[in-house]
Amino acid sequence: MAYSIEQDVDQILLSEQQIAQRVAELGAQITADYADRPLMLVGILKGAGIFHADLARAIKGRVQLDFMVASSYGSGAVSSGTLHIIKDLEGDVAGKDILLVEDIVDTGLTLSELQQYLLGRGAASVKICALLNKPARRKVDVTIDYLGYTVPDEFIIGYGIDYAESYRNLPYIASLKREIYER
Ligand code: IMP
Ligand code: MG
């Protein structure tokens, strides 16, 4: 039989239906909260690409879409200011209400540094929407304004989230078999 990425799944943690339900709820909440002002919905690529696309369509108000690619090389207990921006926002940031859309918050370094960076460029507000939270490995405090689900400290894949650039196309969220990442 042909190889399927599903063979490498340990456990399905969140089904397609559970994700869709939560995305609809988050969209409704965001619609209500930003009823009186336009929103800049910023997806952090590549991991949040699929979540961002679904979330955007669950929001009914006026929304602009943009993307950033960034990585944090920080390792200390405090945010270290070593944010590396590979792709920045295209338009002007000053005065904008920004909602950063992230796949999974792990140490928290990437998001806390991105938030500081965008506030430093004059954004009116920078809030965070994360599909998943993995609090077990947090190094810096980040306030997740909109959260999908909390997940255990396992290697997560699917719905945009990768291991070595694979598994992003799984339609659900799963844990990866240990033998795949420990070999
Ligand atoms: P951090 O919060 O700065 O550590 O960065 C979080 C980023 O690390 C996420 O956006 C993911 O790209 C990646 N990441 C963290 N945990 C996992 C995981 O379990 N599977 C795949 N990627 C992960
Ligand atoms: Mg990421």
Side-chain angles (χ1 to χ4, degrees):
M1 239 178 44
Y3 166 77
S4 155
I5 50 173
E6 301 205 89
Q7 292 167 21
D8 299 339
V9 165
D10 180 26
Q11 256 192 298
I12 297 178
L13 301 176
L14 298 165
S15 69
E16 283 185 74
Q17 291 75 14
Q18 283 174 299
I19 297 168
Q21 172 64 32
R22 194 71 190 110
V23 168
E25 289 168 5
L26 290 171
Q29 217 181 319
I30 292 164
T31 301
D33 291 354
Y34 289 87
D36 55 350
R37 56 214 159 111
L39 172 63
M40 170 79 82
L41 197 67
V42 176
I44 313 300
L45 294 178
K46 298 174 223 173
I50 292 177
F51 177 42
H52 182 263
D54 284 345
L55 183 66
R57 287 172 290 177
I59 299 172
K60 304 304 173 197
R62 192 180 295 280
V63 163
Q64 290 179 16
L65 306 182
D66 208 341
F67 300 93
M68 291 184 84
V69 180
S71 58
S72 169
Y73 297 128
S75 57
V78 257
S79 195
S80 52
T82 52
L83 183 71
H84 178 49
I85 292 174
I86 298 150
K87 189 225 169 289
D88 208 335
L89 297 178
E90 278 172 15
D92 213 5
V93 170
K96 295 266 171 72
D97 287 301
I98 294 175
L99 182 58
L100 292 174
V101 179
E102 177 64 302
D103 51 357
I104 175 164
V105 184
D106 189 22
T107 65
L109 284 166
T110 310
L111 276 178
S112 77
E113 291 185 4
L114 268 178
Q115 205 168 23
Q116 286 171 39
Y117 170 73
L118 292 171
L119 286 170
R121 281 183 58 190
S125 68
V126 183
K127 303 261 187 199
I128 290 170
C129 176
L131 179 65
L132 303 176
N133 184 22
K134 204 197 268 185
R137 291 175 16 107
R138 192 73 89 256
K139 285 182 183 159
V140 291
D141 260 344
V142 279
T143 301
I144 304 175
D145 301 282
Y146 304 93
L147 174 66
Y149 292 96
T150 296
V151 288
D153 188 13
E154 289 175 44
F155 204 96
I156 307 293
I157 51 169
Y159 195 70
I161 302 170
D162 75 306
Y163 168 68
E165 293 300 328
S166 287
Y167 309 105
R168 294 191 197 275
N169 54 323
L170 275 178
Y172 47 77
I173 301 275
S175 54
L176 181 64
K177 282 182 179 166
R178 276 189 174 273
E179 66 212 57
I180 305 296
Y181 61 93
E182 283 182 351
R183 70 186 168 193

